[in-house]
Structure formats: structure tokens, C-alpha cells
Amino acid sequence: MELLFPRQSPPQQTTPQHAPYPPKTAALGGHPNVGTDVPISAVFLFLFICGAVSHMTIFQLNLRRGHKFIMSAMLFGFCMARIVTCIMRIVWACRPNNVSVAIAANVFVAAGVVLLFVINLIFAQRIVRAAHPHSGWHPLFSKSFIAVYVLIVITLIMLIIANVQNFYTLNKNTKRIDRDIILYGQTFYALVSFLPIPLVIGGLVIPRTTRVEKFGSGRYRSKIYILLGAAFFLCLGACYRLGTSFKTPVPIDQKSPAYFSRGSFYFFNFTIELLVVLFYILVRVDRRFHIPNGSKEAGDYSGANVQVEPGKESQEGGVSETRILSEEEVFDDASTTHVNGELRKEEDVENGLEKSEKA
């Protein structure tokens, strides 16, 4: 039980007379130690290295084929941030009195997950635009996402400054302000992690005026399930961190509450994030959520706006045409090219039968 619910204070730590100062209150995960945190962090370190290698390999292979999917590079960046986090936590466990290492470890824990939130927002935007092309590509809707991204960056900067400043001051009013900023930041990120869920559900509930624009590979409904599942778990972790932050601060020399345990820290942070990273590899989001390069208006996802060069003919001998996909084709894995080819053949047979009857 001591491993799961440890005391927060490091052994034989004395308060230095100059900044940076060690923390005075308990935090999620507590103070790492060699016996427990080093092996656990080493396992997560290895798994995040595997995730980074996988996503970067997928990104490079796709790039060589002209299939640019920036989210694979973002997932690689997230894994790299978590690799640094695990390294910092191992170093902190080995050097418990080094406050600077503790600052770096806490900053990377708070900052890394933001990339996953942004990726889910991008996926949600693509799903909404596929179901509601005209409203999804409306300038107001697009600028709303840009505003959210700007707020994410600004909030991240505020969180980093507040976390660092908290170690460099003993002024109670300054610490109160830093705590308020941290609570705001975690509340905002919890809302951002939840935002893809109402966006996707709202896109399903609101009646469509056009057919769904098929994009990427796989069924449209599968994309919805994938995103909702990932968003749910990321939101769960963000809400847990938010809930523990709103609890009354506990002095570090007292026994740590159960909600600050190491088990909670590693599950609601690293485990959930790692599951999402590996899940996105297994379901191949680089194929499912890929859209044509340069998409900027309704019809770009399905290729309806592709201009056909004069005189260019299709493989069947006629002029290439763009056809709106049926509901069955949108929700099935049928190839658009194959469907168009079969449709042309069926039309040719019907036209031949009609000519024979007239003759």
C-alpha cells in the first residue's frame, strides 16, 4: 500500500534559502523514488519510443507517396515530449533534491497532452465538414477553430510561467495567482478535450442538406467511433487532473490523499495517452482521416471540385465525370473508382438494350 499511496515528501530534504524552492503542497503522483518510479517510467519510456518510431515511419512513407498527413508528425512530437517527461522523472527520482529537474518534469507533464487535444479537434472538424460541407467550411466556423488554437497556445504559455514561478517565490499572494492560472488552464484544457464529442454528435443530430462527402478510407461511422473513443479517454484524464487540482492543497509533510497516488498519476496521464497513441497506429488514422491536399471549400473532400483537363478521357473511353456518392457508398468501404466503373458499364448495357428494342 505504501507504493500506491506514498508520502509526498522526499527523504531528508531541507528547504533551501534561495530560489528555486521545493514544493510545499502535495501533487498528483507525489515525489518520485528510485524503487517505484524509475522502473515504471522506464517502461513508459520504451513504449513512447516505439510510438514515436511508428508514427514517424508512417509519416515518412506517406510523404514519399505524396500522402501528406501532418497529424502523424504531431503524434511523433507528442511521443517525443513524453519521452523527455519520462527521462526527467527518472532523473528527478535519482536526484530528489534537485528542484530544477522537478520544475522541468512538472512542465513537461502539463504541456505534452495539448498536441493530442489539437489532433482530435482537427479530426472533429473534418468529420463535421464531411457531413455539413457548406456550414463546415463557413468562414465563421473555420475562424472559431483558429481562435481555439490561439487560446490553446496562450494558455500553455500561461501554465508554463505559473508553474515555474510557483517554485521561485514564497509570496502567498503570488502563489495564489499562480494557482488561479493553473486552475484556469486545466479547466480550459478539460473543455478542449471534451469539445470533439459535442461537435461530432451535433453534426449527426443536425439534419443534413447534402450527402456526406466521403474522405479517407474506411466507413464514415468508423471515423466517428474512433474519434469519440479517443476523446472520451483523453477527457477522462483531463477531468481527473482538474478535479484533483480543485481539492484543498495538502501540506507535503502530511499523508498524501488517495487521489494523488502514483497509480492515479500513471493511469490518468501516461496510460491513457499511450493507449490513444497506439490506437491511432492500429486503426491507421493516416488513411482514415486523410483529405486531399489544399482542401479549402465544400466538395474538395470528395473530389467534386477537381477540374478535368479538356480531351482527357476515362479508362472506359468516355469523359471523366464526378458523381455524388450514394448513402450506401458513403457508409461502406467500396472504392469510388470501382463503383463509377461498374455504373458506367451498367448504363452501357441498358442503353444497348434500349437501342435493340427500338430497332
Side-chain angles (χ1 to χ4, degrees):
M1 296 297 292
E2 182 66 21
L3 294 179
L4 294 178
F5 308 104
R7 292 183 179 274
Q8 300 286 329
S9 58
Q12 300 178 352
Q13 178 172 313
T14 59
T15 303
Q17 300 301 317
H18 57 82
Y21 306 101
K24 300 293 184 182
T25 57
L28 181 61
H31 195 289
N33 59 52
V34 176
T36 304
D37 292 88
V38 169
I40 294 177
S41 298
V43 172
F44 280 109
L45 174 62
F46 171 75
L47 294 175
F48 279 117
I49 290 175
C50 294
V53 171
S54 299
H55 281 292
M56 179 50 66
T57 301
I58 292 174
F59 177 72
Q60 292 295 336
L61 292 176
N62 286 333
L63 202 60
R64 292 175 186 174
R65 295 194 294 261
H67 179 107
K68 185 169 63 175
F69 191 76
I70 302 299
M71 274 61 72
S72 292
M74 294 174 64
L75 286 164
F76 166 78
F78 166 76
C79 290
M80 292 301 298
R82 279 294 173 255
I83 289 171
V84 175
T85 305
C86 293
I87 293 175
M88 289 293 100
R89 195 160 179 84
I90 292 173
V91 175
W92 186 14
C94 297
R95 304 181 64 180
N97 295 324
N98 193 322
V99 183
S100 298
V101 175
I103 295 173
N106 288 327
V107 167
F108 275 99
V109 168
V113 72
V114 174
L115 284 174
L116 293 182
F117 296 160
V118 173
I119 290 171
N120 280 357
L121 282 176
I122 295 174
F123 289 166
Q125 186 182 40
R126 293 183 177 183
I127 288 177
V128 172
R129 283 175 170 174
H132 303 276
H134 298 293
S135 57
W137 285 103
H138 193 277
L140 181 60
F141 186 76
S142 301
K143 290 179 180 179
S144 299
F145 274 83
I146 295 175
V148 172
Y149 298 146
V150 171
L151 284 175
I152 288 175
V153 175
I154 294 175
T155 302
L156 178 60
I157 295 173
M158 293 173 60
L159 280 176
I160 293 175
I161 294 175
N163 273 287
V164 174
Q165 182 178 249
N166 195 42
F167 286 90
Y168 281 85
T169 182
L170 296 176
N171 185 280
K172 292 184 178 180
N173 185 56
T174 304
K175 283 185 171 292
R176 179 191 61 80
I177 296 173
D178 291 338
R179 173 176 164 79
D180 291 342
I181 294 174
I182 292 172
L183 291 178
Y184 151 74
Q186 293 188 343
T187 302
F188 175 73
Y189 283 146
L191 291 174
V192 170
S193 67
F194 175 71
L195 192 56
I197 298 177
L199 281 173
V200 172
I201 294 178
L204 294 174
V205 173
I206 298 175
R208 298 195 304 267
T209 57
T210 60
R211 294 189 181 277
V212 176
E213 287 191 35
K214 183 175 175 62
F215 68 97
S217 65
R219 298 182 177 182
Y220 178 75
R221 66 186 67 176
S222 298
K223 297 177 177 64
I224 294 175
Y225 297 151
I226 290 169
L227 179 57
L228 290 180
F232 170 78
F233 284 106
L234 290 178
C235 183
L236 177 64
C239 290
Y240 186 86
R241 292 188 294 271
L242 175 63
T244 56
S245 297
F246 269 101
K247 289 287 187 178
T248 303
V250 179
I252 200 169
D253 56 352
Q254 296 183 10
K255 185 176 181 180
S256 175
Y259 51 79
F260 278 157
S261 67
R262 285 187 174 87
S264 300
F265 172 83
Y266 286 111
F267 177 78
F268 288 102
N269 284 298
F270 293 173
T271 302
I272 287 179
E273 296 164 359
L274 184 63
L275 289 176
V276 173
V277 168
L278 297 179
F279 179 59
Y280 280 170
I281 295 174
L282 294 176
V283 300
R284 295 302 302 269
V285 292
D286 60 297
R287 294 179 179 176
R288 293 181 180 272
F289 288 91
H290 178 259
I291 60 174
N293 295 336
S295 297
K296 57 183 178 181
E297 60 183 2
D300 285 347
Y301 283 4
S302 60
N305 298 332
V306 176
Q307 298 294 329
V308 181
E309 296 180 4
K312 186 176 181 180
E313 296 183 349
S314 64
Q315 295 179 354
E316 288 79 15
V319 178
S320 176
E321 296 179 356
T322 301
R323 185 173 60 86
I324 298 177
L325 298 175
S326 66
E327 194 78 10
E328 291 77 13
E329 291 165 358
V330 167
F331 288 97
D332 288 336
D333 292 326
S335 172
T336 306
T337 304
H338 175 73
V339 172
N340 289 338
E342 291 297 323
L343 179 65
R344 177 59 58 85
K345 291 179 181 179
E346 291 175 3
E347 290 177 348
D348 291 342
V349 172
E350 293 175 358
N351 291 337
L353 290 176
E354 292 177 359
K355 291 179 180 179
S356 299
E357 291 175 356
K358 291 180 179 178

